[in-house]
Amino acid sequence: MDLNSKKVIVIGAGISGFAAAKLAKKLGADVIMSDANEKVEEKHDLKPLREAGIKIVLGKQTEELFEGADLVIISPAVPRHIPILEKIGQKVLVISEVEFAYKLAKAPIFAVTGTNGKTTTTMLLGELMKTVYGPYNVGVGGNIGTPLCEECYRIGKDGCIVAEISSYQMEASSEFTTKGAAILNVTPDHLARHKTMDVYQAEKEKVFAHHTKDDFLVLNYDDERTRSMAQRANSTICFFSSSQELEEGAFVKDGQLVIRWHGMLHIICKVDEMQIKGSHNVENALAALALAFLAGGDTAKMAQVLKNFAPVEHRIEPVRTLNGVTYYNDSKATNPEAANKAIGTFHHIILIAGGDDKKTPLDEFYALVNERVDKLILVGDGAARFKEEALKHGYSAENILEAGYSMEKAVEMAYNEAKAPQVVLLSPACASFDMYDGYEARGRDFKRIVNELK
């Protein structure tokens, strides 16, 4: 991609935006970083951008900002369909940071998307791909926290890129494609931005929009929406299932993870040999194994990776065992479906839930809460609705505690209530922005508090 002497506008002062701006500048562009938030410097240090020769423009974007622009790159947090970008997009190419990364990539991209499980699957796939491409030839980036453009620029043609892809990242992407992709599930999420499930799903499906039979698509057979994608894909399809044996694909047989492909059954390892626990992690492992296998992975080497792979931070992450009670950080559970996976892993739970409420249905959530949660501790903006729904679903009022906007108080309540063999689980089923900058900050605060308990 030739950016020499081109005018590039990057919208959104966040991790992805910073990386795109710096890289465009490195490639010879005249770069402007713009953010509508005039107070963004209270949160982000913009000094390195200025030192790199990048112009900073803060405040509401106007048409004047884009005069003479050759390219506009937007961060995932910036909706593609806001009026100013719709108007500018008629004259100037507007792309996502992910599309920018794709245009720079020399190596094939293997993507993971879905509503839940993306981070664990992406991290595991990255480790599995190292057995195929070598330990230094695999880049892992995207929605996982490392900007994809950095990894695509860094990794040469002899390696590969493993990318966690969100629906937000695909809004301003049209050419982005992959050598292989896994779609884990599609359940209601981000509807405030996408409006309908069909639009949300369509953004996910862009990861295989340009596939041919030479490309691979791994789909969850147990999820009706992902299973139906096979009808619209030109890819070589490999299903995975954690609940049934497949004629061809990845599944569980006699307590072992296996792949049946072209008539041969490949046994990987026993489910109970994995360090990552829970039925959802069986699904994540099957998806990652299938994609790595199709990329040429050796089953013996992949088995060793799976046995050594530790839980990802903020996803059912064990923090500490105190007085026989283990505390788990599942802050990445930002919707009820993700929380359900964690709740279904344990019995006798002291559950901390609530936060920035996405107003998604809670019927399945409370079916599990009634079955497995001994005490429910609620925090944040979502506490009122979560309490109302709990009572409506027959959960006892005497087992509901409210901690306001204090994680300290929530952990203190959990500490006072919990007795072995109970577990304390932070699995909020909500986003974090009412109290924190993100789920990572929430999870680390929870861990800090737990580790300070006497």
Side-chain angles (χ1 to χ4, degrees):
M1 189 177 193
D2 182 13
L3 292 182
N4 193 41
S5 300
K6 299 291 178 64
K7 182 178 180 180
V8 175
I9 314 294
V10 178
I11 308 294
I15 295 173
S16 296
F18 286 177
K22 289 178 181 177
L23 194 47
K25 184 66 178 178
K26 187 174 184 177
L27 294 171
D30 178 17
V31 181
I32 297 174
M33 162 64 76
S34 172
D35 196 290
N37 180 7
E38 295 179 354
K39 298 181 179 180
V40 73
E41 290 196 79
E42 295 177 4
K43 184 177 178 180
H44 296 293
D45 181 10
L46 304 184
K47 184 179 177 182
L49 296 181
R50 291 192 175 95
E51 291 176 344
I54 295 167
K55 182 180 179 182
I56 308 295
V57 177
L58 302 180
K60 185 177 179 179
Q61 287 98 11
T62 64
E63 289 187 55
E64 287 74 22
L65 173 69
F66 301 93
E67 287 181 1
D70 297 291
L71 177 68
V72 177
I73 302 172
I74 61 175
S75 299
V78 179
R80 170 63 179 86
H81 302 295
I82 59 176
I84 186 67
L85 292 180
E86 289 283 16
K87 192 168 186 178
I88 295 303
Q90 297 174 17
K91 300 178 288 185
V92 182
L93 179 62
V94 179
I95 64 173
S96 65
E97 180 265 335
V98 160
E99 186 98 323
F100 179 50
Y102 167 71
K103 290 176 179 293
L104 296 174
K106 298 176 284 293
I109 297 173
F110 295 86
V112 175
T113 193
T115 306
N116 298 305
K118 296 188 294 295
T119 298
T120 296
T121 307
T122 301
M123 295 292 288
L124 175 56
L125 180 61
E127 295 303 306
L128 292 169
M129 286 302 200
K130 289 176 183 178
T131 68
V132 181
Y133 288 90
Y136 306 110
N137 289 333
V138 177
V140 180
N143 194 54
I144 205 164
T146 300
L148 191 62
C149 62
E150 289 184 349
E151 294 296 87
C152 286
Y153 184 74
R154 181 178 68 87
I155 297 297
K157 60 182 178 60
D158 294 329
C160 81
I161 309 296
V162 175
E164 178 182 322
I165 299 297
S166 73
S167 57
Y168 285 8
Q169 291 172 308
M170 298 309 292
E171 272 190 346
S173 302
S174 58
E175 296 179 11
F176 177 87
T177 193
T178 60
K179 178 61 183 174
I183 304 183
L184 307 177
N185 42 62
V186 180
T187 58
D189 201 7
H190 304 308
L191 297 187
R193 178 153 160 177
H194 297 305
K195 307 304 181 187
T196 70
M197 279 295 291
D198 288 342
V199 172
Y200 175 51
Q201 180 170 327
E203 297 297 349
K204 298 287 187 188
E205 293 190 7
K206 285 183 179 180
V207 297
F208 65 80
H210 302 291
H211 271 193
T212 70
K213 279 295 179 185
D214 293 329
D215 304 311
F216 305 110
L217 180 60
V218 173
L219 297 172
N220 186 350
Y221 190 84
D222 301 331
D223 182 278
E224 185 177 344
R225 281 186 175 270
T226 56
R227 185 170 69 247
S228 72
M229 292 177 189
Q231 302 166 18
R232 295 180 292 281
N234 294 319
S235 332
T236 293
I237 306 292
C238 178
F239 287 112
F240 70 92
S241 172
S242 62
S243 66
Q244 56 190 297
E245 185 171 331
L246 302 175
E247 290 185 13
E248 190 165 69
F251 54 94
V252 178
K253 182 179 176 64
D254 300 328
Q256 299 183 107
L257 302 176
V258 304
I259 298 173
R260 180 180 286 139
W261 196 247
H262 294 167
M264 292 186 64
L265 186 69
H266 305 268
I267 297 172
I268 311 300
C269 71
K270 295 178 181 177
V271 171
D272 60 14
E273 290 179 309
M274 296 194 302
Q275 290 192 52
I276 51 175
K277 305 300 181 185
S279 59
H280 62 292
N281 275 325
V282 172
E283 295 177 355
N284 296 339
L286 288 169
L289 285 169
L291 205 47
F293 176 81
L294 294 171
D298 176 85
T299 55
K301 292 178 181 177
M302 292 196 298
Q304 198 58 48
V305 168
L306 205 53
K307 292 173 186 177
N308 293 332
F309 184 75
V312 172
E313 187 180 17
H314 310 302
R315 199 66 184 102
I316 320 185
E317 175 194 9
V319 178
R320 182 186 183 190
T321 299
L322 184 62
N323 300 328
V325 175
T326 301
Y327 292 71
Y328 289 89
N329 165 32
D330 193 48
S331 182
K332 201 174 190 303
T334 59
N335 57 55
E337 288 75 17
N340 292 348
K341 303 289 189 180
I343 296 168
T345 303
F346 305 104
H347 295 275
H348 300 298
I349 301 167
I350 309 298
L351 177 66
I352 301 173
D356 186 4
D357 190 0
K358 295 181 176 180
K359 304 294 173 60
T360 48
L362 295 173
D363 300 317
E364 292 183 17
F365 176 80
Y366 276 112
L368 274 171
V369 166
N370 280 327
E371 179 185 327
R372 293 171 181 259
V373 174
D374 298 335
K375 295 286 182 179
L376 177 61
I377 301 171
L378 297 174
V379 298
D381 285 351
R385 186 176 83 97
F386 270 62
K387 182 177 181 179
E388 180 184 337
E389 288 287 321
L391 297 175
K392 188 172 81 174
H393 284 83
Y395 193 76
S396 173
E398 66 181 22
N399 290 329
I400 301 174
L401 304 174
E402 295 179 76
Y405 289 82
S406 172
M407 187 63 75
E408 297 259 5
K409 187 174 181 181
V411 173
E412 180 185 352
M413 287 177 167
Y415 173 76
N416 290 334
E417 293 289 340
K419 303 289 185 293
Q422 292 174 320
V423 300
V424 173
L425 173 66
L426 170 68
S427 193
C430 290
S432 57
F433 301 113
D434 57 335
M435 294 169 60
Y436 298 95
D437 286 341
Y439 73 82
E440 301 96 336
R442 177 173 59 188
R444 285 167 190 156
D445 193 35
F446 173 76
K447 292 195 290 183
R448 174 190 63 79
I449 298 165
V450 168
N451 284 319
E452 290 175 357
L453 290 172
K454 304 296 183 185

